[in-house]
Amino acid sequence: MSVIPPSAASLRVAVLFVATTLLSGCASLLGTQPTEPASEAQLTAWESHSKELESMTDWAFGGRAAVRSGVTGGSVQLEWTQVGAVTSLELSGPFDTGHLAMTGTPSHMLLTDGNGNRRVTDDPEALLEEQTGWRIPLATLPRWLRGLPSDSLAALSTGDYRLDDQGRLVTFIDEGWEVEYARYQDVGRLTLPHFVELTNEGMRIRIVVDSWDTGQSRR
């Protein structure tokens, strides 16, 4: 019995099918598959969990961060104190002076370097990038660090976030950043992030929170 060789057109179709299948598999491995909408139980748990987080207006933590921007990066020790809208942040790392401190609000901050030089700025994120080479979202970090989006969960598209069974955010996309929580920790009656990773256009920030102080843990 003679074998009919496949035509060039049929070969192209077969190759396209295999390539499409492989690409679909790669997309799944990379975690780019569509996110399942949160269930009613998860959303109910989120409502309770987020109310607890929103009640945290005064808090502090100590930890470490690894930052990479393109081919450059470094590790820093950090101390963060938040009192309402006022942030006090201290960074110790591979800077010219080895230490930076920032105090103020997202629209107005005082930066002090390790030599005692001071600068006041109306654009803290730009000044911090000038000093470190890193673009860090200072305005939204106070919420992201607690496990909250910059606005409400309802403001995010349903495919842009994922909740776990306890109603805590696992990952979400907000203001161009992808935020992921690899682990949470119990702090008194609260559950707060232990490991946070933020990525955006070549920037990657990995933050490990060694210790939280919310005041509530001592109640």
Side-chain angles (χ1 to χ4, degrees):
M1 181 175 67
S2 62
V3 178
I4 300 174
S7 66
S10 62
L11 281 174
R12 285 196 295 270
V13 170
V15 169
L16 284 173
F17 174 77
V18 172
T20 302
T21 302
L22 289 173
L23 286 173
S24 298
C26 291
S28 296
L29 290 174
L30 292 172
T32 56
Q33 68 272 25
T35 301
E36 290 292 329
S39 67
E40 288 298 324
Q42 288 173 315
L43 291 173
T44 298
W46 164 257
E47 288 299 322
S48 176
H49 174 64
S50 62
K51 284 180 182 178
E52 294 283 358
L53 300 181
E54 294 283 4
S55 71
M56 274 180 65
T57 56
D58 302 342
W59 47 272
F61 78 80
R64 297 155 286 150
V67 185
R68 178 161 292 280
S69 177
V71 296
T72 64
S75 298
V76 297
Q77 295 287 327
L78 58 93
E79 298 288 335
W80 190 300
T81 300
Q82 193 75 28
V83 180
V86 178
T87 296
S88 294
L89 173 63
E90 294 189 20
L91 301 172
S92 301
F95 317 125
D96 290 340
T97 62
H99 184 268
L100 292 173
M102 301 186 74
T103 303
T105 66
S107 60
H108 190 78
M109 277 191 170
L110 168 68
L111 182 145
T112 306
D113 66 21
N115 293 325
N117 300 312
R118 296 184 175 187
R119 292 178 63 181
V120 176
T121 178
D122 293 332
D123 193 347
E125 292 182 8
L127 180 57
L128 185 57
E129 183 175 9
E130 176 187 317
Q131 295 291 314
T132 64
W134 304 334
R135 179 169 45 86
I136 298 175
L138 291 174
T140 48
L141 268 178
R143 291 186 64 81
W144 292 350
L145 288 169
R146 285 179 287 162
L148 292 165
S150 61
D151 196 348
S152 65
L153 193 68
L156 301 178
S157 299
T158 55
D160 284 348
Y161 68 87
R162 184 158 58 93
L163 300 176
D164 64 14
D165 291 340
Q166 287 73 49
R168 304 172 302 196
L169 279 165
V170 176
T171 184
F172 64 97
I173 298 173
D174 194 5
E175 299 191 358
W177 288 81
E178 182 175 355
V179 184
E180 182 176 356
Y181 303 95
R183 195 183 311 162
Y184 282 84
Q185 56 185 310
D186 293 329
V187 183
R189 60 185 176 83
L190 299 171
T191 304
L192 297 169
H194 173 62
F195 183 92
V196 187
E197 181 170 325
L198 306 96
T199 54
N200 180 339
E201 296 182 355
M203 277 291 301
R204 173 176 290 178
I205 306 169
R206 293 175 171 172
I207 300 172
V208 178
V209 179
D210 292 322
S211 62
W212 281 96
D213 183 0
T214 67
Q216 298 177 9
S217 59
R218 299 189 295 270
R219 293 176 187 173

